[in-house]
Amino acid sequence: MKTLLLVRHAKSSWEHPGTSDHDRPLNERGLRDAPAMGHRLAERGVAPDVILSSTAVRARATAELIAAALGFGAARVITDERLYGASADEVLRVIGELDNEVACAIVVGHNPETASLAHQFSDEIHEMPTSAVAEFTFDVDAWYELDGASPVDVLVESPRR
């Protein structure tokens, strides 16, 4: 069994117009919502073996806040530049490279690819608001088997639900 949690980064700031897209930080709401979602995951007993994040500042900050809420250090967050500006298929390829010893992985990324990949796994998911978490459990032995697999369980949460 493999459990994948897809997380859209928390709400980012547009306060500084000259800041590049990659370097946009979280805004006040994002700084509040990301740890709140991490605490919800902790309350449900989610214990990821790995947390992967886009290299974008807002995604990395979201991943680190979730990690802290789960009781993991920021050092456990692994950034991967391929997750920034990726397609859903590219994100799936990155996930497919995970070591098969990993049972639970969190991937923090962006839209539209996060919503698109979530929709590939569940027709019920059409959007992923900021800080939303889509959790999928698959009856597979290897991460690369997720391509074309159907989850046995799906749970979606967002700060507003």
Side-chain angles (χ1 to χ4, degrees):
M1 295 292 268
K2 302 291 184 202
T3 301
L4 173 66
L5 293 94
L6 295 175
V7 179
R8 181 178 174 194
H9 67 75
K11 189 77 172 161
S12 62
S13 173
W14 292 89
E15 197 170 303
H16 306 285
T19 303
S20 73
D21 179 70
H22 187 274
D23 294 333
R24 279 190 295 117
L26 296 180
N27 69 11
E28 192 173 309
R29 186 173 113 197
L31 291 168
R32 181 183 66 240
D33 288 350
M37 292 305 292
H39 288 297
R40 282 196 206 174
L41 295 175
E43 288 170 3
R44 290 196 297 105
V46 172
D49 298 300
V50 66
I51 300 175
L52 296 177
S53 173
S54 156
T55 55
V57 170
R58 62 194 180 275
R60 200 171 61 242
T62 300
E64 290 171 357
L65 290 166
I66 288 173
L70 290 169
F72 295 97
R76 299 260 322 253
V77 175
I78 300 168
T79 57
D80 190 318
E81 62 189 15
R82 297 175 294 171
L83 295 174
Y84 178 73
S87 68
D89 288 339
E90 290 168 324
V91 172
L92 191 56
R93 275 193 291 281
V94 171
I95 294 165
E97 294 173 5
L98 288 171
D99 187 293
N100 291 331
E101 295 299 314
V102 171
C104 179
I106 294 177
V107 178
V108 181
H110 308 270
N111 262 3
E113 62 270 17
T114 300
S116 179
L117 184 54
H119 182 72
Q120 284 181 35
F121 293 138
S122 173
D123 290 340
E124 302 294 315
I125 301 172
H126 299 287
E127 62 181 57
M128 290 283 289
T130 54
S131 297
V133 178
E135 181 176 339
F136 306 94
T137 304
F138 296 90
D139 188 10
V140 297
D141 296 320
W143 288 99
Y144 66 84
E145 294 177 282
L146 266 57
D147 192 5
S150 295
V152 294
D153 196 30
V154 177
L155 176 66
V156 181
E157 292 188 90
S158 72
R160 306 293 172 247
R161 289 188 242 167

